């Protein structure tokens, strides 16, 4: 709620000026004035001896619970190409929509109509599409304004987006304008069959627990999902759906993206697209252990990853880190060498198709999620594995 000063009651005593921790109150013509630095902490309201400072209720259009209908997926694009996380979200959204017996819609800004048809093939019943030039380069303002307008008009029950730099940037704005909740970085999504509430599951307290978060009193229920956590749905090129053209005219935009500069790196590690990953943890004992993993990765045409423990030890750069504070991956094969299997690491790789674990400790938690587990010394096993792979490749 906005805070205002009743100038007729204000005596200019300046008590509120000293009470404000954000220097958001100044004196103008002998009266208190609240500037743009106000954080609405309410300290000035209780401090004012004359009762001249008060809250003014904001008139907000809040969506009623019973109005919510349908599951929406925000389909992210960069440089005209739809991000793979959009197809993963369509797979999750299709499952949720089928459980709720409702429709699945996608929202696509800035890509072509051909891309909109692809979203239908991946499971969407309807696509709200705008190819306005304003969406060619990502900008928070037009993205959030148009998505908010669409949500207010059509009132979906659930909205999903990727926990990517784009999603993390503008989806919180959307939730704030709609006066609803947002759960970020979800790793699982479910529906409560009794209440129909949307269960948003994510690691909490540094990954030590898995929290199930509800938004029972507001709609839509919004969640962002980490890439490579969900599986893509079934692709059907003959699937029929509706494409709704959305106008982006009259969108207010106070900023303009002049240029986007990509980071250059001598060693680019694309863990999220790798089919085979060889990962090392604290069990390697030292940085030299990764030399062995790189040799195995070269033989397998794989990419090398690491747990946070190995990165914190300085054995390998952060760009190789998998887990809650690193990358989330979903390769066909994930070979975990000397990784105990802390919850923080499992969050980033447990959706891999096949998990192979090598560890000395037979009680290591990694074996609980492993498809195949080998109890033994990795420094004895990996050289044998490298030898067999090279023999098999001739």
């Amino acid at each position: 709620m906005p805070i205002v000063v009743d100038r007729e009651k204000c005596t200019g005593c300046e008590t509120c000026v000293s009470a404000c921790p954000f220097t958001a109150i100044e004196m103008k013509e002998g009266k208190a004035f609240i500037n743009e630095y106000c954080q609405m902490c309410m300290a000035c309201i209780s401090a004012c001896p004359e009762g001249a400072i008060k809250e003014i209720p904001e008139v907000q259009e809040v969506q009623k619970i019973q109005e919510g209908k349908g599951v929406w997926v925000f389909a992210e694009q960069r440089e005209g190409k739809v991000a793979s996380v959009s197809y993963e979200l369509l797979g999750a959204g299709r499952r949720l929509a089928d459980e709720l017996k409702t429709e699945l819609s996608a929202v696509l800004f800035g890509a072509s109509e051909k891309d909109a048809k692809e979203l239908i093939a991946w499971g969407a019943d309807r696509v709200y599409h705008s190819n306005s030039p304003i969406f060619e380069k990502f900008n928070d303002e037009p993205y959030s304004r148009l998505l908010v307008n669409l949500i207010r008009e059509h009132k979906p029950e659930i909205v999903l987006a990727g926990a990517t730099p784009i999603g993390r940037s503008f989806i919180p704005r959307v939730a704030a304008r709609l006066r609803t909740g947002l759960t970020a970085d979800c790793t699982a999504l479910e529906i409560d069959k009794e209440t129909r509430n949307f269960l948003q599951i994510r690691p909490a307290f540094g990954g030590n627990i898995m929290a199930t978060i509800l938004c029972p009193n507001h709609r839509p229920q919004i969640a962002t999902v980490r890439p490579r956590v969900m599986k893509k749905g079934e692709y059907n090129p003959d699937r029929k759906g509706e494409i709704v053209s959305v106008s982006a005219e009259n969108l207010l935009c106070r900023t303009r993206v002049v240029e986007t500069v990509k980071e250059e790196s001598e060693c680019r590690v694309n863990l999220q697209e790798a089919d085979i990953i060889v990962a090392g943890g604290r069990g390697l004992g030292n940085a030299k252990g990764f030399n062995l993993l790189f040799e195995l990765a070269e033989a397998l045409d794989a990419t090398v990853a690491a747990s946070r423990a190995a990165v914190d030890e300085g054995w390998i750069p952060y760009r190789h880190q998998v887990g809650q504070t690193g990358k989330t991956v979903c390769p066909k094969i994930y070979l975990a060498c000397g990784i105990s299997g802390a919850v923080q690491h499992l969050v980033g790789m447990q959706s891999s198709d096949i998990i192979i674990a090598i560890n000395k400790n037979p009680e290591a938690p990694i074996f609980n999620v492993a498809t195949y587990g080998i109890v033994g010394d990795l420094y004895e096993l990996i050289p044998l594995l490298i030898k067999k792979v090279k023999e098999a490749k001739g």
Side-chain angles (χ1 to χ4, degrees), residues 99-117:
E99 286 189 43
L100 292 169
K101 294 181 173 54
T102 188
E103 291 185 331
L104 173 65
S105 300
V107 180
L108 179 63
F109 299 156
S112 66
E113 188 171 330
K114 181 181 177 182
D115 292 311
K117 291 178 180 177

PDB file of all heavy atoms in Angstrom, residues 99-117:
ATOM      1  N   GLU A  99      -4.092 -34.038 -15.686  1.00  0.00           N
ATOM      2  CA  GLU A  99      -4.570 -34.360 -14.338  1.00  0.00           C
ATOM      3  C   GLU A  99      -5.729 -33.443 -13.940  1.00  0.00           C
ATOM      4  O   GLU A  99      -6.664 -33.862 -13.262  1.00  0.00           O
ATOM      5  CB  GLU A  99      -3.433 -34.246 -13.321  1.00  0.00           C
ATOM      6  CG  GLU A  99      -2.433 -35.394 -13.389  1.00  0.00           C
ATOM      7  CD  GLU A  99      -1.459 -35.362 -12.228  1.00  0.00           C
ATOM      8  OE1 GLU A  99      -1.897 -35.124 -11.090  1.00  0.00           O
ATOM      9  OE2 GLU A  99      -0.252 -35.566 -12.465  1.00  0.00           O
ATOM     10  N   LEU A 100      -5.643 -32.177 -14.344  1.00  0.00           N
ATOM     11  CA  LEU A 100      -6.682 -31.206 -13.996  1.00  0.00           C
ATOM     12  C   LEU A 100      -7.831 -31.212 -14.993  1.00  0.00           C
ATOM     13  O   LEU A 100      -8.810 -30.472 -14.817  1.00  0.00           O
ATOM     14  CB  LEU A 100      -6.072 -29.805 -13.927  1.00  0.00           C
ATOM     15  CG  LEU A 100      -5.089 -29.548 -12.779  1.00  0.00           C
ATOM     16  CD1 LEU A 100      -4.368 -28.220 -12.985  1.00  0.00           C
ATOM     17  CD2 LEU A 100      -5.810 -29.558 -11.443  1.00  0.00           C
ATOM     18  N   LYS A 101      -7.667 -32.001 -16.079  1.00  0.00           N
ATOM     19  CA  LYS A 101      -8.671 -32.068 -17.146  1.00  0.00           C
ATOM     20  C   LYS A 101      -8.949 -30.667 -17.711  1.00  0.00           C
ATOM     21  O   LYS A 101     -10.096 -30.213 -17.788  1.00  0.00           O
ATOM     22  CB  LYS A 101      -9.965 -32.709 -16.642  1.00  0.00           C
ATOM     23  CG  LYS A 101      -9.807 -34.171 -16.256  1.00  0.00           C
ATOM     24  CD  LYS A 101     -11.095 -34.784 -15.779  1.00  0.00           C
ATOM     25  CE  LYS A 101     -10.974 -36.278 -15.562  1.00  0.00           C
ATOM     26  NZ  LYS A 101      -9.884 -36.690 -14.672  1.00  0.00           N
ATOM     27  N   THR A 102      -7.875 -30.014 -18.095  1.00  0.00           N
ATOM     28  CA  THR A 102      -7.976 -28.669 -18.643  1.00  0.00           C
ATOM     29  C   THR A 102      -7.039 -28.526 -19.840  1.00  0.00           C
ATOM     30  O   THR A 102      -6.375 -29.492 -20.233  1.00  0.00           O
ATOM     31  CB  THR A 102      -7.639 -27.625 -17.552  1.00  0.00           C
ATOM     32  OG1 THR A 102      -7.929 -26.323 -18.042  1.00  0.00           O
ATOM     33  CG2 THR A 102      -6.179 -27.704 -17.141  1.00  0.00           C
ATOM     34  N   GLU A 103      -6.980 -27.338 -20.412  1.00  0.00           N
ATOM     35  CA  GLU A 103      -6.163 -27.115 -21.604  1.00  0.00           C
ATOM     36  C   GLU A 103      -4.759 -26.641 -21.235  1.00  0.00           C
ATOM     37  O   GLU A 103      -4.546 -26.028 -20.188  1.00  0.00           O
ATOM     38  CB  GLU A 103      -6.826 -26.076 -22.514  1.00  0.00           C
ATOM     39  CG  GLU A 103      -8.101 -26.550 -23.167  1.00  0.00           C
ATOM     40  CD  GLU A 103      -8.643 -25.523 -24.153  1.00  0.00           C
ATOM     41  OE1 GLU A 103      -8.399 -24.314 -23.943  1.00  0.00           O
ATOM     42  OE2 GLU A 103      -9.302 -25.923 -25.121  1.00  0.00           O
ATOM     43  N   LEU A 104      -3.822 -26.910 -22.141  1.00  0.00           N
ATOM     44  CA  LEU A 104      -2.443 -26.441 -22.001  1.00  0.00           C
ATOM     45  C   LEU A 104      -2.189 -25.392 -23.081  1.00  0.00           C
ATOM     46  O   LEU A 104      -2.396 -25.645 -24.266  1.00  0.00           O
ATOM     47  CB  LEU A 104      -1.457 -27.593 -22.161  1.00  0.00           C
ATOM     48  CG  LEU A 104       0.024 -27.217 -22.215  1.00  0.00           C
ATOM     49  CD1 LEU A 104       0.479 -26.604 -20.894  1.00  0.00           C
ATOM     50  CD2 LEU A 104       0.887 -28.425 -22.555  1.00  0.00           C
ATOM     51  N   SER A 105      -1.754 -24.215 -22.650  1.00  0.00           N
ATOM     52  CA  SER A 105      -1.456 -23.125 -23.589  1.00  0.00           C
ATOM     53  C   SER A 105      -0.001 -22.708 -23.443  1.00  0.00           C
ATOM     54  O   SER A 105       0.593 -22.840 -22.375  1.00  0.00           O
ATOM     55  CB  SER A 105      -2.355 -21.914 -23.328  1.00  0.00           C
ATOM     56  OG  SER A 105      -3.715 -22.256 -23.468  1.00  0.00           O
ATOM     57  N   ALA A 106       0.559 -22.212 -24.530  1.00  0.00           N
ATOM     58  CA  ALA A 106       1.918 -21.672 -24.519  1.00  0.00           C
ATOM     59  C   ALA A 106       1.857 -20.202 -24.907  1.00  0.00           C
ATOM     60  O   ALA A 106       0.972 -19.784 -25.660  1.00  0.00           O
ATOM     61  CB  ALA A 106       2.814 -22.441 -25.482  1.00  0.00           C
ATOM     62  N   VAL A 107       2.799 -19.423 -24.398  1.00  0.00           N
ATOM     63  CA  VAL A 107       2.903 -18.003 -24.730  1.00  0.00           C
ATOM     64  C   VAL A 107       4.265 -17.789 -25.368  1.00  0.00           C
ATOM     65  O   VAL A 107       5.294 -18.090 -24.767  1.00  0.00           O
ATOM     66  CB  VAL A 107       2.760 -17.121 -23.476  1.00  0.00           C
ATOM     67  CG1 VAL A 107       2.873 -15.654 -23.853  1.00  0.00           C
ATOM     68  CG2 VAL A 107       1.442 -17.395 -22.774  1.00  0.00           C
ATOM     69  N   LEU A 108       4.276 -17.283 -26.590  1.00  0.00           N
ATOM     70  CA  LEU A 108       5.521 -17.126 -27.345  1.00  0.00           C
ATOM     71  C   LEU A 108       5.647 -15.703 -27.868  1.00  0.00           C
ATOM     72  O   LEU A 108       4.808 -15.247 -28.642  1.00  0.00           O
ATOM     73  CB  LEU A 108       5.536 -18.120 -28.521  1.00  0.00           C
ATOM     74  CG  LEU A 108       6.755 -18.092 -29.436  1.00  0.00           C
ATOM     75  CD1 LEU A 108       8.026 -18.461 -28.679  1.00  0.00           C
ATOM     76  CD2 LEU A 108       6.556 -19.037 -30.623  1.00  0.00           C
ATOM     77  N   PHE A 109       6.694 -15.016 -27.445  1.00  0.00           N
ATOM     78  CA  PHE A 109       6.964 -13.652 -27.901  1.00  0.00           C
ATOM     79  C   PHE A 109       8.240 -13.637 -28.741  1.00  0.00           C
ATOM     80  O   PHE A 109       9.278 -14.134 -28.313  1.00  0.00           O
ATOM     81  CB  PHE A 109       7.166 -12.694 -26.714  1.00  0.00           C
ATOM     82  CG  PHE A 109       5.979 -12.561 -25.794  1.00  0.00           C
ATOM     83  CD1 PHE A 109       6.143 -12.169 -24.481  1.00  0.00           C
ATOM     84  CD2 PHE A 109       4.700 -12.828 -26.250  1.00  0.00           C
ATOM     85  CE1 PHE A 109       5.062 -12.037 -23.624  1.00  0.00           C
ATOM     86  CE2 PHE A 109       3.602 -12.708 -25.409  1.00  0.00           C
ATOM     87  CZ  PHE A 109       3.786 -12.311 -24.094  1.00  0.00           C
ATOM     88  N   GLY A 110       8.162 -13.062 -29.929  1.00  0.00           N
ATOM     89  CA  GLY A 110       9.367 -12.763 -30.684  1.00  0.00           C
ATOM     90  C   GLY A 110       9.840 -13.808 -31.659  1.00  0.00           C
ATOM     91  O   GLY A 110      10.792 -13.579 -32.394  1.00  0.00           O
ATOM     92  N   ALA A 111       9.236 -14.984 -31.731  1.00  0.00           N
ATOM     93  CA  ALA A 111       9.633 -16.018 -32.678  1.00  0.00           C
ATOM     94  C   ALA A 111       8.623 -16.073 -33.824  1.00  0.00           C
ATOM     95  O   ALA A 111       7.667 -15.303 -33.873  1.00  0.00           O
ATOM     96  CB  ALA A 111       9.751 -17.361 -31.976  1.00  0.00           C
ATOM     97  N   SER A 112       8.821 -17.001 -34.731  1.00  0.00           N
ATOM     98  CA  SER A 112       7.978 -17.075 -35.919  1.00  0.00           C
ATOM     99  C   SER A 112       6.738 -17.943 -35.675  1.00  0.00           C
ATOM    100  O   SER A 112       6.648 -18.663 -34.681  1.00  0.00           O
ATOM    101  CB  SER A 112       8.773 -17.663 -37.087  1.00  0.00           C
ATOM    102  OG  SER A 112       9.105 -19.023 -36.808  1.00  0.00           O
ATOM    103  N   GLU A 113       5.810 -17.872 -36.614  1.00  0.00           N
ATOM    104  CA  GLU A 113       4.609 -18.704 -36.522  1.00  0.00           C
ATOM    105  C   GLU A 113       4.961 -20.179 -36.664  1.00  0.00           C
ATOM    106  O   GLU A 113       4.299 -21.050 -36.100  1.00  0.00           O
ATOM    107  CB  GLU A 113       3.598 -18.294 -37.599  1.00  0.00           C
ATOM    108  CG  GLU A 113       2.247 -18.987 -37.444  1.00  0.00           C
ATOM    109  CD  GLU A 113       1.189 -18.421 -38.360  1.00  0.00           C
ATOM    110  OE1 GLU A 113       1.254 -17.218 -38.678  1.00  0.00           O
ATOM    111  OE2 GLU A 113       0.290 -19.185 -38.750  1.00  0.00           O
ATOM    112  N   LYS A 114       6.034 -20.462 -37.399  1.00  0.00           N
ATOM    113  CA  LYS A 114       6.500 -21.846 -37.521  1.00  0.00           C
ATOM    114  C   LYS A 114       6.885 -22.405 -36.153  1.00  0.00           C
ATOM    115  O   LYS A 114       6.597 -23.560 -35.831  1.00  0.00           O
ATOM    116  CB  LYS A 114       7.692 -21.900 -38.477  1.00  0.00           C
ATOM    117  CG  LYS A 114       8.244 -23.300 -38.689  1.00  0.00           C
ATOM    118  CD  LYS A 114       9.440 -23.284 -39.630  1.00  0.00           C
ATOM    119  CE  LYS A 114      10.026 -24.677 -39.779  1.00  0.00           C
ATOM    120  NZ  LYS A 114      11.231 -24.685 -40.658  1.00  0.00           N
ATOM    121  N   ASP A 115       7.545 -21.572 -35.347  1.00  0.00           N
ATOM    122  CA  ASP A 115       7.911 -22.005 -33.995  1.00  0.00           C
ATOM    123  C   ASP A 115       6.666 -22.222 -33.145  1.00  0.00           C
ATOM    124  O   ASP A 115       6.628 -23.122 -32.295  1.00  0.00           O
ATOM    125  CB  ASP A 115       8.812 -20.958 -33.330  1.00  0.00           C
ATOM    126  CG  ASP A 115      10.176 -20.874 -33.987  1.00  0.00           C
ATOM    127  OD1 ASP A 115      10.791 -21.928 -34.181  1.00  0.00           O
ATOM    128  OD2 ASP A 115      10.608 -19.756 -34.332  1.00  0.00           O
ATOM    129  N   ALA A 116       5.639 -21.398 -33.354  1.00  0.00           N
ATOM    130  CA  ALA A 116       4.384 -21.569 -32.620  1.00  0.00           C
ATOM    131  C   ALA A 116       3.743 -22.913 -32.964  1.00  0.00           C
ATOM    132  O   ALA A 116       3.203 -23.602 -32.087  1.00  0.00           O
ATOM    133  CB  ALA A 116       3.429 -20.421 -32.943  1.00  0.00           C
ATOM    134  N   LYS A 117       3.817 -23.312 -34.232  1.00  0.00           N
ATOM    135  CA  LYS A 117       3.277 -24.615 -34.646  1.00  0.00           C
ATOM    136  C   LYS A 117       4.055 -25.763 -34.010  1.00  0.00           C
ATOM    137  O   LYS A 117       3.492 -26.814 -33.696  1.00  0.00           O
ATOM    138  CB  LYS A 117       3.295 -24.728 -36.170  1.00  0.00           C
ATOM    139  CG  LYS A 117       2.312 -23.796 -36.862  1.00  0.00           C
ATOM    140  CD  LYS A 117       2.405 -23.907 -38.377  1.00  0.00           C
ATOM    141  CE  LYS A 117       1.415 -22.960 -39.048  1.00  0.00           C
ATOM    142  NZ  LYS A 117       1.532 -22.996 -40.529  1.00  0.00           N
TER     143      LYS A 117
END
